[in-house]
Amino acid sequence: MADYSMMIGGAAGQGVQTVSETLSTILTRSGYYVFSIESYESRIRGGHTFTLLRVGEKQLLGARRSLDVLVCLNEETYERHIHKVHPKGIVFGKVKDQLRGEDIRVFSMDFEGEALQLGNKIFANMVATGAVLAILGIPLQKAQEYLQEAFGKKGTEIVAKNEEALKRGAEIVANFGLEGKYPLPPYDPTPRYLVSGNEALGLGALLAGCTFYSAYPMTPSTGILNFLASRAQEYGLVIEQAEDEIAAINMAIGASYAGARAMTGTSGGGFCLMCEGLGLAAMTETPIVVVDAQRPGPSTGLPTRTAQGDLLFVIHASHDEFPRFVFAPKDPEEAVNTVIRAFNLAEKYQVPAIILSDQYLADTKWSYDVFSVQERPERPLLPNKVPKPYKRYALFPDGVSPRLFPGDEHLVVADSDEHDEFGHLTENLLIRKAMQEKRMKKLELMRQEMRFPFFIPGKDATLLGWGSTWGVLLETRRELQKKGKEIGILHFSDLYPLPRGLQELLAGLPTPVVVEHNFTGQLAMLLSRETLLAFPKRICRYDGLPFLVEELTEKVEEVLST
Amino acid sequence: MTRDFDNPQVEIAWCPGCGNFGILRALKETLEELGYKPQQVVLVSGIGQAAKTPHYLKANVFNGLHGRSIPVAFAIKATRPELCVIAESGDGCMYGEGGNHFLHAIRRNPDITVLVHNNQVYGLTKGQASPTSEEGFTTKAQPWGNLAHPLNPLSLAISQGASFVARAFAGDIEGLKGILKRAITFRGFALVDILQPCVTFNRVNTYSWYQERVYYLGDDHNPHDQIAAFERSLEWGNRIPLGVFYMNPKPTYEEKIRERTLRQRNVFDTEVFTTILQKELSRFL
Ligand SMILES: Cc1ncc(C[n+]2csc(CCOP(=O)(O)OP(=O)(O)O)c2C)c(N)n1
Ligand code: SF4
Ligand SMILES: [Mg+2]
């Protein structure tokens, strides 16, 4: 079955992302499945950036290390990645030593030179795109349609030049006799969706009925801001770039108090600044949704890399204790549903809901045959009669008081100080005790809303993971299956509060191995705390890069052999 | 007689003689005289003595975090422009902890009123220097005397072209009411810095200290002249001007987004949901 991995690398500013964007779209529209991950640096020009693009006939859930095609927009790409190309692979572009003594075939192609002949070196990336399409035997027709869409606004001349560049790339490949070298099966006309994590989180917010989004730019969360801003005009959204993350979360809280569904998004550093605001949402029982798109830290860390280091942080963030939801969607499809659910649950229990994303989920594009959105925005019903005079924090048995908005006949008083049922500040310690119990009471009800982890049994071992690693865990399981091992998976998207009944499940798992993008194994610690079981086998990657299928497979084999 | 905005339910925790009492009374009377109902008003505050004020009125209240009243007020107004939104807090809260929000609210120009009870000290935390304390002001935390130069909030706001900038004195309730009326009815970001004696922790800037110095800007002052307003704002010492220093009417934030917010639809309607879902998904094909 056709399944190829390709890498396109170059310096920032050389248009690697355009190649990736163009190829992913065209390949998806041509009926194939794509999985593309972006690796970039925190700079606008220079440095090294690449896209890892996998294309195949069946749905792909992760990226592979070993490359079939390496496209070098600069020589550095060649030097850095040539060792990843497997025997019989093809390398082209700015290459160094053309004779490798192995089966790898290396072709020198001067993309920039070709582009210059067309009038401008910016067309170099389209020459490369044409070359890749030719190697895969994809006719250029779909590509031409896409160019019209993507560059139409810039004028017919630009579209024509890009088309020429595509053709030029394809011609060169034909001259080398490489056309259709990695053939894909005939065209399947099923339309497919191609969605990244950030787009999905933005789409989820839009569908959830979020009409207020405030944020301070911070990679890798900025794509959510961009997505929602692109829809603001059409759907009447209030989108505000705040002066800092403190303002961003306080704005979201203000908007929610006033009746809007409000969200903010950031990365770890910005989340640190939001902690006091998170407590404010909890204390005033104002529902908000906060996305933390994780990146390695501490401090500024690695802005453009991936990590899962904030799990225990967000569960505990802000002083004293209060209930909150924490979710970590496994892929873009689940991300859309998770955001809608997070809004519904945050409102139902009047608590903050946190969604953990990461650079890997945020920037990776997945393709789907069916993109299923099952969740619907729901506003919780008010009791038939709200007792008068209105008490914002009325002590109802379940801890959830009727929530009204200002502007109607009732007065709505919310307070960050400890307060009485009306919302007025108090230092009466009996009331304090009752209020803390009221808030904390919700936690057990919230727990009942949480879904059980996704589970596939396997007798040889079980891989435990959370959030964005789901796909690569599944791919790794398949890989090990080929080697005769039966590996199970237990994957968590609902992380806090954890659902009940985990103890029995976890106690019976054969050889649990926790796989995480952090140093200490935070899921393992969380589960140990919850179940009093120990999870000593851990595979932790914290260099900022996502797990790739072969690497994780090797690591699992290694762990199981010790 | 209880008036609309009176809230006899809540016990007031200020020291007897505190300047905040005058501000509270002036605010209640102003809102009533302007014809507002408590339901139409949202008072947003931070933390401090001044920030307790909203609890002592009958109105909608959001008493948030220290320094963070402005972002909350901004968002309430952006979401519900029909409400009268007032952010109210102390000098430490607005100019210290929340200084960044103050600057950026001027830039956004939401139609909110910002009332700063400026007692030139941190009252609630028992008397430390605030951003507006005078140089040399001694406190337990600054026994050697405050080393920093006081912030001039009026000059700052005027220099940034804030749309309405005024100063009032808590010791003159009628004068304060006149200014509050103009600030609340003004369309755009309106700052009123209110000189507020703290009888417990500020033994320098007392009622009589202010009374000896304050005077109202006369007809000779043109509040539409930014340079003149800036010049008058620098006056501080033997004579301290009160009144409306500067007015710079310009489109508000809510006006700028109005065309857009009118497009909001019922987000909980199933049909609306389905239409948006289909349209959006087709964009990902
Ligand atoms: C984040 C945070 N830091 C510190 C405090 C403690 N604190 C409460 S009020 C205040 C200063 C009050 O001064 P001001 O804003 O001038 O109000 P005043 O009491 O003078 O009216 C401080 C430092 C707090 N509540 N929150
Ligand atoms: S400490 Fe000062 S500001 Fe606070 S209530 Fe007493 S007099 Fe007023
Ligand atoms: Mg003060």
Side-chain angles (χ1 to χ4, degrees), chain A residues 287-546:
Chain A
I288 52 164
V289 177
V290 185
V291 178
D292 171 10
Q294 302 161 96
R295 66 194 217 186
S299 180
T300 310
L302 286 167
T304 63
R305 304 294 170 186
T306 202
Q308 294 183 311
D310 297 355
L311 176 61
L312 292 180
F313 169 50
V314 303
I315 289 177
H316 300 286
S318 209
H319 56 291
D320 207 344
E321 299 158 300
F322 56 84
R324 71 199 79 192
F325 286 109
V326 179
F327 304 101
K330 63 186 164 72
D331 69 348
E333 186 181 33
E334 192 177 70
V336 171
N337 287 287
T338 300
V339 181
I340 303 174
R341 220 177 124 221
F343 269 102
N344 289 343
L345 290 172
E347 252 194 46
K348 186 168 175 191
Y349 295 98
Q350 304 174 23
V351 295
I354 299 157
I355 298 175
L356 285 170
S357 167
D358 51 42
Q359 184 267 331
Y360 177 59
L361 176 67
D363 294 332
T364 298
K365 281 191 150 84
W366 294 54
S367 39
Y368 299 89
D369 287 331
V370 181
F371 196 90
S372 144
V373 181
Q374 287 128 358
E375 305 290 339
R376 294 289 175 272
E378 281 161 18
R379 188 142 256 189
L381 293 176
L382 284 169
N384 284 340
K385 260 189 87 162
V386 176
K388 269 188 189 177
Y390 175 57
K391 295 179 186 166
R392 173 64 188 88
Y393 303 105
L395 293 169
F396 275 48
D398 58 358
V400 183
S401 326
R403 174 169 170 256
L404 301 177
F405 305 122
D408 269 326
E409 56 168 319
H410 301 87
L411 293 178
V412 185
V413 180
D415 195 357
S416 77
D417 293 280
E418 193 56 273
H419 41 257
D420 60 19
E421 288 183 273
F422 285 99
H424 288 300
L425 64 91
T426 183
E427 296 193 43
N428 177 326
L429 303 185
L430 287 175
I431 300 182
R432 148 69 188 178
K433 187 164 174 283
M435 284 294 161
Q436 181 67 349
E437 285 163 4
K438 162 205 192 328
R439 291 186 291 266
M440 292 308 295
K441 219 186 261 182
K442 296 190 252 180
L443 193 59
E444 281 314 304
L445 296 173
M446 289 161 58
R447 193 185 296 284
Q448 291 168 22
E449 303 275 1
M450 299 309 265
R451 296 181 185 162
F452 223 59
F454 169 88
F455 181 49
I456 307 178
K459 67 171 171 39
D460 295 324
T462 310
L463 303 181
L464 272 65
W466 60 279
S468 66
T469 54
W470 173 76
V472 78
L473 293 179
L474 276 181
E475 293 261 355
T476 301
R477 179 186 128 84
R478 282 182 202 154
E479 203 73 9
L480 286 161
Q481 216 160 21
K482 287 185 212 155
K483 301 185 176 186
K485 286 215 170 62
E486 251 194 70
I487 306 290
I489 289 178
L490 188 67
H491 175 274
F492 292 78
S493 298
D494 284 14
L495 286 153
Y496 190 84
L498 282 170
R500 226 168 295 177
L502 286 176
Q503 164 83 33
E504 300 84 87
L505 176 66
L506 286 163
L509 288 183
T511 327
V513 180
V514 179
V515 180
E516 298 187 60
H517 279 301
N518 56 46
F519 187 86
T520 50
Q522 297 188 14
L523 175 68
M525 289 196 267
L526 182 66
L527 293 175
S528 289
R529 190 172 82 181
E530 198 81 6
T531 61
L532 302 179
L533 298 166
F535 300 94
K537 286 198 184 338
R538 299 175 189 184
I539 297 173
C540 292
R541 177 166 200 177
Y542 40 84
D543 62 355
L545 295 175

Side-chain angles (χ1 to χ4, degrees), chain A residues 233-234 240 243 412 416, chain B residues 60 64 108 253 263 279-280:
Chain A
Q233 217 51 32
E234 200 171 342
E240 186 59 15
E243 55 271 30
V412 185
S416 77
Chain B
N60 294 293
R108 292 189 184 101
Y253 184 87
R263 287 202 206 107
K279 184 166 168 192
E280 285 298 329

Side-chain angles (χ1 to χ4, degrees), chain B residues 17-29:
Chain B
C18 173
N20 284 332
F21 286 100
I23 303 176
L24 173 62
R25 196 179 122 198
L27 180 61
K28 287 200 285 194
E29 293 181 12

Side-chain angles (χ1 to χ4, degrees), chain B residues 49-50 90-93 117-124 130 132 196:
Chain B
Q49 299 285 29
D91 45 327
C93 198
H117 300 210
N118 184 356
N119 54 8
Q120 299 179 256
V121 73
Y122 280 10
L124 192 66
S130 90
T132 54
Q196 175 238 320

Side-chain angles (χ1 to χ4, degrees), chain A residues 123-142:
Chain A
F123 301 119
N125 54 14
M126 234 15 96
V127 179
T129 308
V132 175
L133 289 172
I135 288 177
L136 297 171
I138 305 283
L140 292 187
Q141 181 204 343
K142 282 264 173 233

Side-chain angles (χ1 to χ4, degrees), chain A residues 29 191-195 199 203 206-207 209 211-212 227 231-244 246-247 250-251 253-255 257-258 260-261 276-277 280 284 286 371 373 375-379 405-417 422-425, chain B residues 7 9-10 38-42 46-47 52 54-66 68 70-76 78-80 82-83 97 100-102 104-105 107-108 253 257 259-265 267-268 270 273-274 276-277 279-285:
Chain A
R29 286 189 187 171
R192 295 226 159 80
Y193 303 97
L194 184 68
V195 189
E199 288 167 335
L203 178 61
L206 181 68
L207 293 170
T211 52
F212 189 99
F227 177 88
R231 302 299 196 268
Q233 217 51 32
E234 200 171 342
Y235 302 111
L237 315 179
V238 182
I239 308 292
E240 186 59 15
Q241 182 179 320
E243 55 271 30
D244 54 34
I246 299 174
N250 278 277
M251 284 176 180
I253 292 168
Y257 164 82
R261 286 200 150 186
E276 201 193 5
L280 176 67
T284 58
T286 310
F371 196 90
V373 181
E375 305 290 339
R376 294 289 175 272
E378 281 161 18
R379 188 142 256 189
F405 305 122
D408 269 326
E409 56 168 319
H410 301 87
L411 293 178
V412 185
V413 180
D415 195 357
S416 77
D417 293 280
F422 285 99
H424 288 300
L425 64 91
Chain B
N7 189 6
Q9 247 186 320
V10 180
Q39 284 77 1
Q40 298 170 295
V41 178
V42 188
I47 297 297
K52 292 177 184 170
H55 291 283
Y56 305 151
L57 269 80
K58 203 179 260 169
N60 294 293
V61 175
F62 192 97
N63 180 184
L65 295 171
H66 186 48
R68 317 300 169 196
I70 288 179
V72 174
F74 159 80
I76 294 173
T79 311
R80 300 285 299 281
E82 75 280 13
L83 297 172
E97 189 94 36
N100 198 24
H101 311 311
F102 176 71
H104 295 281
R107 292 177 46 233
R108 292 189 184 101
Y253 184 87
I257 63 166
E259 185 219 337
R260 198 195 315 159
T261 44
L262 284 177
R263 287 202 206 107
Q264 277 177 12
R265 42 201 107 187
V267 296
F268 299 104
T270 327
F273 179 91
T274 313
I276 299 181
L277 176 64
K279 184 166 168 192
E280 285 298 329
L281 282 186
S282 72
R283 289 173 169 166
F284 289 95
L285 283 172

